[in-house]
């Protein structure tokens, strides 16, 4: 009975299953199959000997990482930028979605949304180029401060400004795109709730505070947990394209360190160990915050 029903369902919905195939193939090829390569973190891997012939060394590369002279600086930079991204960048799409939802003119609303999420389609190379032009000696930033009598500032070459620029570019490029999910969640809220609140004399602020935010909380929670999982993954291309020799002290992170050791110095086993170290931290954070979330709000990823 079940087998017959399954075949019937497959025949009925086969176009949907065909549409799923590219997504499943992507996950298998780029996410699950590469997990097997994590084994080389425990080997002195050689491209000539391969997986089977390379000697096993256990946790040697992890010990090397923890005793690396610059590990504290690189790990600290990663934690600081991850915290800034979580605390300053994550809330921006929520705030934008709440503001955009209050715009009553449909044309203006769509125009604002489009203007905000267009930068998401720009690569980090282009975004970094715009940042270097904007904050350059002859850029718009120095022109504006020059009007007020200030001397030009080498913003992109000053370590004190790197983290600010990282947050600023993150917000400019991705905050608008993040509003898409929140706007979809807000649009599913029953309008009668707002009508009832208006009849009771609730202001717009109170409607947001007591209706929109509570009903938006499950979506916020899920996206927050997903962001926690990517706490150590700050985006190699983002940071690398903003880095200059003068900002390495505050901008050199685990991803750029892996690039130098794994690609430029061909230390594949060591670079894999660093990547696995990041993945374990990310999984631990997701698991911990998911358990806390389930105890506090009865909601989570699983």
């Amino acid at each position: 009975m079940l087998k017959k029903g399954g075949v019937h369902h497959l025949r009925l919905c086969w176009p949907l299953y065909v549409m799923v195939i590219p997504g499943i193939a992507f996950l298998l090829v780029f996410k699950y199959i590469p997990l097997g390569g994590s084994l080389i973190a425990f080997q002195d891997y050689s491209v000539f000997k391969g997986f089977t012939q390379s000697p096993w060394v256990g946790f040697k590369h992890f010990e090397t990482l923890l005793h690396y002279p610059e590990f504290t600086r690189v790990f600290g930079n990663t934690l600081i930028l991850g915290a800034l991204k979580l605390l300053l960048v994550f809330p921006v799409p929520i705030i934008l979605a709440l503001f955009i939802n209050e715009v009553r003119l449909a044309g203006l609303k769509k125009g604002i949304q489009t203007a905000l999420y267009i930068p998401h389609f720009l690569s980090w190379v282009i975004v970094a180029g715009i940042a270097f032009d904007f904050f350059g000696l002859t850029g718009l930033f120095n022109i504006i401060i020059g009007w007020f009598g200030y001397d030009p500032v080498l913003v992109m070459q000053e370590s004190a400004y790197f983290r600010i620029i990282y947050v600023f570019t993150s917000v400019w490029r991705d905050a608008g795109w993040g509003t898409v999910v929140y706007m979809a969640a807000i649009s599913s809220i029953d309008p009668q709730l707002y009508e009832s609140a208006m009849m009771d004399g609730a202001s717009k602020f109170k409607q947001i505070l007591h209706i929109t935010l509570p009903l938006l909380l499950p979506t916020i929670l899920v996206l927050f947990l997903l962001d926690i999982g990517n706490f150590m993954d700050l985006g190699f291309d983002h940071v690398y394209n903003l880095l200059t020799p003068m900002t390495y002290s505050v901008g050199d992170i685990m991803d750029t360190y892996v690039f130098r050791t794994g690609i430029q110095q061909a230390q594949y086993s060591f670079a894999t160990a660093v990547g696995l170290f990041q993945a374990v931290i990310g999984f631990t954070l997701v698991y911990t915050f998911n358990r806390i979330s389930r105890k506090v709000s009865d909601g989570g990823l699983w």
Side-chain angles (χ1 to χ4, degrees), residues 217-218 221 225 289-300:
L217 189 59
L221 186 60
L225 290 173
F289 278 90
N290 187 70
R291 292 201 65 176
I292 295 172
S293 172
R294 291 184 65 84
K295 289 183 178 180
V296 173
S297 64
D298 295 327

Side-chain angles (χ1 to χ4, degrees), residues 137 141-143 145-155:
L137 280 177
F141 176 79
N142 278 309
I143 291 175
I145 66 174
W147 293 343
F148 297 95
Y150 292 97
D151 295 328
V153 181
L154 292 170
V155 177

